[in-house]
Structure formats: C-alpha cells, structure tokens
Amino acid sequence: MNKTPAGNDTPARPGARAARTRPVRPLLPRRSPRPNRPPTLVLATASAVTAANVYLSQPLLAALAHSFGAGPDLLGAVPMATQLGYAAGILLLVPAGDSGDRRRLILRLGTASTVALAACALAPTVWWLIAASFALGLLSPVPQLVTPLAVALAAADGTDGADGGRAARGRVVGTVQGGLLIGVLASRAYSGALAEAVGWRGVYVCSAVMTLVLVYALRWALPAVPPAGDGSYRAALASLPRLAVHPLVSRIIGSGALVGIAFGAFWTALTFLLERGFHFGSATIGLFGLVAAASALASPWAGRAADRLGRRGALAALIGLVAVGWLLLLPGGSGLWWLIAGVIVVDVGVWGSQAACQTVLFTLDPAVHSRLNTLYFTFRFLGIAIGSLTGSLAWAHGGWPSVVATGMACTLAGLVVGLLPVRGGSAPAGDTADE
C-alpha cells in the first residue's frame, strides 16, 4: 500500500498510485463533535443485539443434550455451524457495505435473522438446529457493517480530524465493540437463565422478538449514507485476495484467526467443565459469562492502545494477556477461583486484541474498510468455528488439560504472527511503534 502524501492524513487505497491519491470526500455535512455520540451509541446497541444471536447456543449445550439425547461431539457442531455461517456471511455480505447502502443492508439482515431465529426455535432434530444455526450465523454480520459506518459518521461529524483523528477512530471502534461485548456477555447470561425458565426454544423466540424490535428502531434512527467506494459488489469481492496478501493485513488476519481458535475452544469446553466438573445448571453457566464483563470496559482502552503503542506494542500486550489467562486456567479444572480469574484475563486479552486489530485496519483508506472488516472477521470466525469443534474434541479425549494445551498453543502462534515485521509494503499511518 502506498504511503500517504505529506499533508494528507488519509492513506492511499491499497494498490493505487501515490500520485493519484485524493482526500476522501465528507459523507455528510460537517457538524460539531457532540452530535456524533448518539449515532455511535445506537450502532453499539445494534452490534450488541445482533452479536448476542451468534452466541446463544453455547450456554444451551447441556439443555440441548438432554432434549435431543446427543453427545458433546455432535452438539459441538451447533456453535461451530453458527460460527461457520457467520464467517460466510462476513465474507459474502459485508463487502457490499463498501459499494452499497449500508443502512438498507443492515435492515434486511436484521429481518432475515428474525426468521432464522424462529427456525432454530422450531427445530425438531439436532441436524435441523445445525442447519438453522448456520443460517443464523450467515445473516448476522451486522456488527461488521455498523463499525465502519460508525467510523464514517464520526469522520463526517468532524471528530476524525487532523491531530485527534486517530484517537477518535480508536474510541469509536472501542465503543461499538463494547456494545458487541455487552451483547455477547448478555446472551450467555440470559440464554442460560431463560432456558431454565421457558426452555431452550423460548430463548430463540425471545431473541427473535428483540431482533425484530431492533430492526424497527434502526429504520427510524439510521441516516442514509452514500457508499464509501465507487466500485460494484462484484469488484469488491474480487479485490479481497489482493487486500489479503498485503503484509500488514495478512499479519492482522492471521493473528486474529489463531487467537480465535483458542477463544472458540475455551468457551465451548467451558460449558462441559462447568456442568460436569462443577455440576452447574444452565442458568449458572450462562451467568458465569458475566465474570468476563471487564472485557467490555477494557475495549475502548484497547482501541486507544493501538493508536498509542502501534500494532506490535498493542498486540504484544493484549495477546500476551491471553497467554497469561491460559496459565491461570490450567488449575481451573478443579479450582473455581482460578477458573474465574482465567476467564477474566482471557476475555480482556481476546476482545482487547480484536479492538486493537480493527483500529489498525481502519487507518487504511475508508473506501476499503468494509472489505478489511470482511477479511479480518472471516478468518477470525473461521478460527472460532474450528476452535469450537477442537475444544469439544480436546475435552472428549483429554479433558481440561488438553483444552488448555490447545488454547495456549494457538495463542502463542497468534502472538508470533501478530508481531512479525511488515516488509514489502508501507505501514498504515500512525503505526510508529510497529518496528
């Protein structure tokens, strides 16, 4: 990618000639910084509700096992199918955000997700549920559309200006991801509690109602925003391989995928550990996710850390924190307090590193932000999907120590990839701590 010409704080589009670089036109009339905050909070709420749908099944695995009479090996395919569908949706649908109307796409995906949730609630067999879960994941990549939209709205409102732009970008990314984390944590809590009160089918019904309410709220609240890029949807898809092989982008997406494997293995195996090792019910298993609430508070900080420390500094700190968390989790197989401490540290590191990675990617040309999000989250959730199945297999064949060994190995591999130097391409603006 070409370096930014002096005096222009918007990096060039990857693959374009430096001489042809031009400032990106404002998307909306410039306003004072204060009005930017409500749209950001609305988009954070949308991220929370839609992200929650992707993680509903994890606390329900024990209830599903009793309902369908299936073992952990097969039931591990339910969250895996959701994550695979999520990765496919990010790959196939999110690039349209660079060439089309993001508002319209978000509303259509929200409506279709409501139908998929209803299909999950009606599932008569495990295989039906697996197929419906894949469809739910496929239609749920709304957070990956609202994050670049929030950054674009912040820039249009004048909060992404010359000197404070990078800090504003990191703060917006962190705020929207904070909403995503709240949704993930809330889904683990309420899905487990509702499963005991109204059954696991009622969980999906309640989520369908919430998603439908969200669609109507967004229809009223979201402004119409012109596309950031000029190309077609087909051209946007065709450009993904070229973007993916850029040295910086490949480091970010490779590291995110490996940490995603560790994350998926952890949360899937944790359900079986809490039920069989500590004899907790679905409600307690769901509420257990709330011990990781610190990750939502740390997310805005992680976005700013990427601005201040650069890619390598921020990832060394945050992925290193994940490795420390796995060390705390090793005695957690028999010690609840070790387990709680490990959950907090792992979640802060995992979600913090994700916010840092997105902040680094969003220093690139705004016209490719949706596609960069596509690449990062496609590989991220492919990793989580693989980790969901890997965690189930590790638990079935080696118990909790095997799960910890798998998670630690993937985390360290992600750390190494994330810290590799970038050669053969310019770093994004502001990554002064990279080398």
Side-chain angles (χ1 to χ4, degrees):
M1 296 183 185
N2 299 310
K3 295 183 178 179
T4 305
N8 180 7
D9 62 356
T10 302
R13 185 179 306 184
R17 296 181 180 178
R20 299 179 63 183
T21 302
R22 55 184 173 83
V24 177
R25 64 183 182 276
L27 300 179
L28 295 173
R30 296 178 69 86
R31 308 170 188 166
S32 63
R34 184 72 60 178
N36 148 68
R37 293 184 180 179
T40 300
L41 294 177
V42 169
L43 291 170
T45 302
S47 185
V49 174
T50 53
N53 294 336
V54 180
Y55 295 92
L56 289 175
S57 64
Q58 287 180 339
L60 303 177
L61 293 179
L64 292 172
H66 295 304
S67 178
F68 292 113
D73 290 356
L74 178 58
L75 288 174
V78 175
M80 178 184 178
T82 310
Q83 300 295 347
L84 285 174
Y86 201 21
I90 292 168
L91 177 63
L92 297 176
L93 300 176
V94 173
D98 282 337
S99 58
D101 186 342
R102 287 191 184 114
R103 176 182 179 274
R104 181 182 300 173
L105 181 58
I106 288 169
L107 294 176
R108 288 179 175 177
L109 288 177
T111 303
S113 295
T114 302
V115 177
L117 285 163
C120 290
L122 297 172
T125 66
V126 174
W127 291 107
W128 175 299
L129 182 60
I130 290 172
S133 296
F134 179 85
L136 176 61
L138 180 70
L139 300 167
S140 296
V142 173
Q144 285 66 50
L145 289 165
V146 300
T147 304
L149 179 58
V151 172
L153 290 172
D157 278 337
T159 58
D160 201 11
D163 197 27
R166 292 190 299 274
R169 186 187 304 116
R171 182 170 59 252
V172 169
V173 171
T175 299
V176 175
Q177 183 174 279
L180 182 150
L181 295 179
I182 291 172
V184 172
L185 295 173
S187 72
R188 292 171 182 162
Y190 84 74
S191 66
L194 279 177
E196 290 198 351
V198 298
W200 64 267
R201 297 181 190 275
V203 174
Y204 286 104
V205 171
C206 291
S207 296
V209 172
M210 283 196 299
T211 304
L212 191 60
V213 170
L214 171 70
V215 170
Y216 281 102
L218 291 177
R219 188 182 302 275
W220 174 81
L222 284 186
V225 180
D230 299 326
S232 65
Y233 169 71
R234 181 176 298 180
L237 282 180
S239 69
L240 291 177
R242 174 174 54 83
L243 292 172
V245 299
H246 181 271
L248 176 66
V249 177
S250 64
R251 301 291 186 273
I252 295 294
I253 64 178
S255 176
L258 289 164
V259 175
I261 295 175
F263 185 66
F266 166 67
W267 277 106
T268 299
L270 180 65
T271 300
F272 299 120
L273 174 66
L274 293 175
E275 184 207 14
R276 302 183 182 184
F278 294 93
H279 307 290
F280 291 157
S282 296
T284 306
I285 292 173
L287 290 172
F288 197 86
L290 292 178
V291 303
S295 56
L297 301 176
S299 186
W301 169 85
R304 291 192 291 268
D307 294 323
R308 297 171 182 172
L309 302 178
R311 170 181 63 95
R312 300 176 76 183
L315 293 186
L318 292 163
I319 301 180
L321 198 62
V322 180
V324 172
W326 280 110
L327 292 177
L328 295 174
L329 287 170
L330 182 58
S334 57
L336 185 59
W337 290 109
W338 285 106
L339 191 63
I340 291 173
V343 169
I344 294 172
V345 175
V346 165
D347 255 39
V348 169
V350 167
W351 293 105
S353 65
Q354 178 170 300
C357 286
Q358 282 189 281
T359 300
V360 171
L361 291 176
F362 286 158
T363 60
L364 303 177
D365 184 2
V368 297
H369 279 183
S370 289
R371 278 167 279 176
L372 292 174
N373 242 11
T374 291
L375 290 169
Y376 178 77
F377 283 103
T378 296
F379 284 90
R380 177 73 155 188
F381 285 100
L382 279 173
I384 293 176
I386 294 170
S388 295
L389 183 59
T390 301
S392 297
L393 295 174
W395 171 265
H397 294 94
W400 187 247
S402 178
V403 174
V404 172
T406 300
M408 177 64 82
C410 293
T411 299
L412 294 178
L415 179 61
V416 170
V417 171
L419 297 185
L420 287 174
V422 173
R423 305 192 187 282
S426 60
D431 197 10
T432 56
D434 183 39
E435 304 299 337

